[in-house]
Amino acid sequence: MWRKVSFSNGFRRLYTAIKQRLPMADKMGRFEHVKHLMITLNILLCLSGLLLLILAFALMFHPTEIRHIVSLNTVIFFGTVYVVILSIVLLILGTLGIIAAYRETRTLLFLFFMLILAAFVVEFVAGICAFIFRFQLTKDHFDDDMVNYYSGNNVTSSYSASANSIMISFECCGVGGPKDFLRTLEFVIFNPQHEVPDACCKRMKPTPDGAIVNLEKCISGDVNFINNQGCFELIVNKVEVFLHGIGALNILILIIELCVMITAIWLYQRA
């Protein structure tokens, strides 16, 4: 009888101990799952930052003269610089997030949360600004810049040099066509005998050192010796591929950052 009671008491104590440990084990299991999720999300954040950097460099150092479009438009220029800085920040934050999750340190988790929150706010505001200033990527805006800043073969003007490189490389003329230069004040003043700049003339090969077919007839306005198509229609689709890619990736990064913030604050409260 004594053995039966002793066995019953021992089984009851074992059951009680297991019952008490199960919630703790379940809690630790959830903690590990969220920890691994946060590490995975931060790896995705690093990869997104790296891809963003590749897209920005691909636009800035494109093998064709499309790279000059960055210097022609202020919004694209500052947008590209912003993307480069953002991608570097994401690589740093992603690495910090992996370390914070792995070490399970409350100080690091809180620091990471505050930094990723600041980055999220900056990116969200930048996205709104990009939406507001999207009109500066229209044909009319490029046309206004051409009219106001283009001066012909003036090598001291970075705008003119970039525009000439684009027109020669893509065998195009002006934003909408050769008639753009009739309204370009500086070009008309400095080149009163020219209907179009030399960059609009047809060449043996589309390079700056390519021989012009007939310079005199070209600058006098003979359409047979001028590249009559506007540049905007030729390059806008190529540039939009990069811009849309960067925009879509930025939205994905915002979603990842939101998920990372949730996991970081969850781990912080339970670390």
Side-chain angles (χ1 to χ4, degrees), residues 206-225:
T207 58
D209 58 349
I212 297 174
V213 176
N214 192 315
L215 179 60
E216 291 184 5
K217 289 187 177 182
C218 171
I219 61 176
S220 65
D222 191 328
V223 295
N224 295 315
F225 298 93

Side-chain angles (χ1 to χ4, degrees), residues 54-117:
I54 291 172
L55 283 173
F57 280 144
L59 181 59
M60 293 171 66
F61 304 105
H62 198 275
T64 67
E65 299 303 320
I66 198 172
R67 64 183 180 276
H68 288 296
I69 198 70
V70 176
S71 60
L72 284 180
N73 188 277
T74 306
V75 172
I76 296 179
F77 174 76
F78 285 109
T80 305
V81 173
Y82 159 77
V83 168
V84 172
I85 296 173
L86 173 63
S87 60
I88 296 172
V89 170
L90 290 176
L91 288 170
I92 296 173
L93 286 178
T95 304
L96 178 62
I98 293 171
I99 295 172
Y102 181 77
R103 296 187 62 179
E104 303 174 15
T105 307
R106 284 174 62 89
T107 304
L108 276 178
L109 286 169
F110 182 74
L111 174 64
F112 172 73
F113 173 79
M114 295 305 295
L115 291 175
I116 204 74
L117 177 62

Side-chain angles (χ1 to χ4, degrees), residues 51-256:
L51 183 57
L52 204 60
L53 189 63
I54 291 172
L55 283 173
F57 280 144
L59 181 59
M60 293 171 66
F61 304 105
H62 198 275
T64 67
E65 299 303 320
I66 198 172
R67 64 183 180 276
H68 288 296
I69 198 70
V70 176
S71 60
L72 284 180
N73 188 277
T74 306
V75 172
I76 296 179
F77 174 76
F78 285 109
T80 305
V81 173
Y82 159 77
V83 168
V84 172
I85 296 173
L86 173 63
S87 60
I88 296 172
V89 170
L90 290 176
L91 288 170
I92 296 173
L93 286 178
T95 304
L96 178 62
I98 293 171
I99 295 172
Y102 181 77
R103 296 187 62 179
E104 303 174 15
T105 307
R106 284 174 62 89
T107 304
L108 276 178
L109 286 169
F110 182 74
L111 174 64
F112 172 73
F113 173 79
M114 295 305 295
L115 291 175
I116 204 74
L117 177 62
F120 181 88
V121 172
V122 170
E123 290 171 50
F124 189 76
V125 172
I128 294 174
C129 291
F131 180 79
I132 293 173
F133 290 105
R134 70 189 187 282
F135 69 90
Q136 293 199 14
L137 302 179
T138 61
K139 184 177 179 179
D140 290 340
H141 184 80
F142 278 95
D143 189 57
D144 289 341
D145 283 347
M146 174 71 76
V147 169
N148 293 323
Y149 304 120
Y150 184 77
S151 57
N153 297 324
N154 184 1
V155 294
T156 61
S157 169
S158 59
Y159 180 91
S160 298
S162 297
N164 287 335
S165 295
I166 290 174
M167 289 190 289
I168 293 172
S169 179
F170 288 95
E171 299 181 280
C172 55
C173 186
V175 176
K179 291 184 179 180
D180 290 346
F181 297 101
L182 298 176
R183 301 178 289 105
T184 306
L185 184 61
E186 285 191 37
F187 175 74
V188 172
I189 292 173
F190 292 118
N191 304 274
Q193 305 300 323
H194 290 55
E195 294 289 328
V196 294
D198 297 358
C200 286
C201 298
K202 290 184 177 180
R203 297 169 183 257
M204 295 299 184
K205 58 178 181 179
T207 58
D209 58 349
I212 297 174
V213 176
N214 192 315
L215 179 60
E216 291 184 5
K217 289 187 177 182
C218 171
I219 61 176
S220 65
D222 191 328
V223 295
N224 295 315
F225 298 93
I226 299 174
N227 296 315
N228 293 288
Q229 186 172 6
C231 295
F232 184 81
E233 299 299 332
L234 287 176
I235 65 176
V236 66
N237 293 331
K238 295 182 175 67
V239 175
E240 281 185 345
V241 169
F242 290 97
L243 298 181
H244 289 164
I246 291 173
L249 189 57
N250 197 55
I251 293 173
L252 176 62
I253 289 171
L254 286 173
I255 295 172
I256 294 174

